[in-house]
Amino acid sequence: NPEEVFVMATFELPDLSKDKVNIGVHNGNLTVSGGVSESSKKEEPLYVIQERRPGRFSRSIKLLDGTDPKEVNLSIEDGVLAVTFPRSSPGIGPQGIAIN
């Protein structure tokens, strides 16, 4: 919505606590990455089945030109990471060029 002041992106991170998620800004991109490790164990009288499924993920979004990384707000609730940042930073916006 062009009238909104902030941009919001959400990432679904089921069963991940915030200490298992890495977030950084580099070259105008915000990157969310982390690792998951699932394991299951089934014990029967004659055998035991144990499985481990490790995995890593990484997702990046381009921040708007002029976005200060300090203006990016993050919150995680019920396995959903919400990222919000201003649509444009004060003092940075379209600029005209005079014709000589």
Side-chain angles (χ1 to χ4, degrees):
N1 182 352
E3 292 147 13
E4 292 291 325
V5 178
F6 289 91
V7 175
M8 178 182 226
T10 57
F11 299 84
E12 291 188 24
L13 306 173
D15 301 326
L16 284 181
S17 59
K18 65 181 180 181
D19 61 320
K20 299 216 184 252
V21 179
N22 301 312
I23 301 166
V25 175
H26 183 68
N27 290 336
N29 291 306
L30 180 127
T31 301
V32 177
S33 62
V36 294
S37 180
E38 295 180 16
S39 64
S40 64
K41 187 173 185 179
K42 180 179 179 182
E43 295 187 35
E44 295 293 329
L46 299 176
Y47 61 89
V48 174
I49 298 175
Q50 185 169 359
E51 295 183 74
R52 291 194 179 122
R53 193 174 69 178
R56 299 218 28 94
F57 67 90
S58 179
R59 300 289 181 269
S60 294
I61 59 170
K62 175 88 171 115
L63 296 175
L64 298 175
D65 290 339
T67 300
D68 182 350
K70 293 176 188 167
E71 296 177 333
V72 176
N73 294 309
L74 306 165
S75 64
I76 190 165
E77 187 175 331
D78 297 329
V80 177
L81 174 69
V83 179
T84 57
F85 53 92
R87 186 171 291 281
S88 64
S89 296
I92 298 176
Q95 298 177 4
I97 300 173
I99 300 173
N100 294 327

